[in-house]
Amino acid sequence: MLDQLADPSRRLADVILPLYLDTTFAYSLATLMALVAAALIVIAIVRNILQVRHIKAREQAISSEIAGLTGGTPEDGSTALERNFRDNFDHLDNLLVQSPFMATGLSLAWHQYRRTLHQTETGIYQSPFRPRVFFLPANRASGSLDFSANIFVAFGLLATFVGLVAALTFAAAGMESGDPGAMQAAITDLLAASASKFVTSIAGVGLSIVLRIAGRLLASRHQAALLRLCDTLEAAIRIDPGSARGAQPLVSAA
């Protein structure tokens, strides 16, 4: 019964373990891991470029819509930016709601922030929260690379343990024979398998570091674009922590 259960695992081991006798396998595997990591970084860079471009386009569009003369303020103390934001709110709302697939987080952040907006008696929009409270959590630029980095570490450890099993299996087989030549060959196989397993470990950990660094760099670029957008919105929306009390919520099309 036990032999039948162990038979599939033994067959799989007979295919995988001998690969560790040749260090070329380990270097080939490490090269494949590097190629996969490079492809993931390229994909993340392209995605980041598209996301940042979309954010910048929205920020520039909002800036052009609310731009106006800032000299003098009416009796309610509102600025020209706040009044222009009020007058063009419907257009700006549609601009922020309509986000492409690559930047859905921006649309969701605006949906959530829009619920906090209220209007004063003169129609000026205000919120008890700064826009960055909702928009910065939408920064997911490094999420996929961080996850991939964990996978590379896990794969490197898995390859290390498989190599360890291979090394011990070959050493045990050689020692059992009692032949000095076979024992020497077993030691050679043990060293070869050990070298192979450490190569994959180094590749996994090293590529994990590279992926995390790339993820942080892309995340900082994405966050900088979001901060510029938040500053533009904050210049046109009055931030008043007590504005939610007794104010009428904004009614707007979703």
Side-chain angles (χ1 to χ4, degrees):
M1 180 65 177
L2 293 178
D3 290 339
Q4 292 178 351
L5 292 175
D7 189 56
S9 299
R10 288 175 179 173
R11 292 182 181 179
L12 182 62
D14 290 340
V15 175
I16 297 177
L17 297 185
L19 296 175
Y20 281 85
L21 294 176
D22 186 1
T23 55
T24 303
F25 167 73
Y27 287 106
S28 300
L29 184 59
T31 302
L32 179 61
M33 292 169 64
L35 292 175
V36 172
L40 292 173
I41 292 175
V42 170
I43 293 173
I45 290 175
V46 172
R47 182 178 180 182
N48 182 264
I49 290 174
L50 295 176
Q51 289 176 334
V52 171
R53 182 178 300 173
H54 172 76
I55 295 172
K56 288 182 177 179
R58 292 298 182 267
E59 188 271 331
Q60 292 172 0
I62 293 172
S63 296
S64 63
E65 288 286 343
I66 65 176
L69 297 177
T70 58
T73 57
E75 295 181 357
D76 63 353
S78 62
T79 65
L81 297 179
E82 292 173 339
R83 295 193 300 274
N84 290 340
F85 184 85
R86 173 198 62 195
D87 297 338
N88 297 289
F89 179 81
D90 290 338
H91 176 67
L92 296 174
D93 182 38
N94 291 330
L95 189 67
L96 288 168
V97 167
Q98 296 174 1
S99 296
F101 173 74
M102 298 296 288
T104 53
L106 183 63
S107 175
L108 178 60
W110 171 247
H111 272 293
Q112 294 174 338
Y113 184 64
R114 187 179 58 183
R115 295 176 182 176
T116 71
L117 294 180
H118 300 79
Q119 289 182 275
T120 64
E121 294 180 355
T122 58
I124 299 301
Y125 290 97
Q126 59 183 8
S127 172
F129 304 102
R130 302 182 68 182
R132 62 184 61 192
V133 174
F134 294 85
F135 284 89
L136 291 188
N139 185 4
R140 296 289 185 267
S142 64
S144 60
L145 291 183
D146 286 344
F147 175 77
S148 300
N150 293 333
I151 294 298
F152 273 87
V153 171
F155 185 80
L157 290 176
L158 176 62
T160 298
F161 286 124
V162 174
L164 179 61
V165 172
L168 295 177
T169 300
F170 299 141
M175 295 301 178
E176 288 178 355
S177 65
D179 181 16
M183 295 175 64
Q184 184 176 0
I187 294 176
T188 302
D189 293 341
L190 174 63
L191 295 176
S194 299
S196 298
K197 68 185 179 67
F198 284 122
V199 166
T200 53
S201 296
I202 293 172
V205 174
L207 292 173
S208 173
I209 294 174
V210 172
L211 289 170
R212 289 189 183 278
I213 292 175
R216 292 298 179 267
L217 292 175
L218 294 178
S220 63
R221 184 172 180 268
H222 192 268
Q223 180 170 318
L226 285 174
L227 285 173
R228 287 192 294 270
L229 175 63
C230 291
D231 290 340
T232 301
L233 290 173
E234 193 167 327
I237 298 174
R238 190 173 299 174
I239 307 302
D240 182 8
S243 63
R245 183 176 301 175
Q248 295 299 321
L250 171 67
V251 178
S252 178

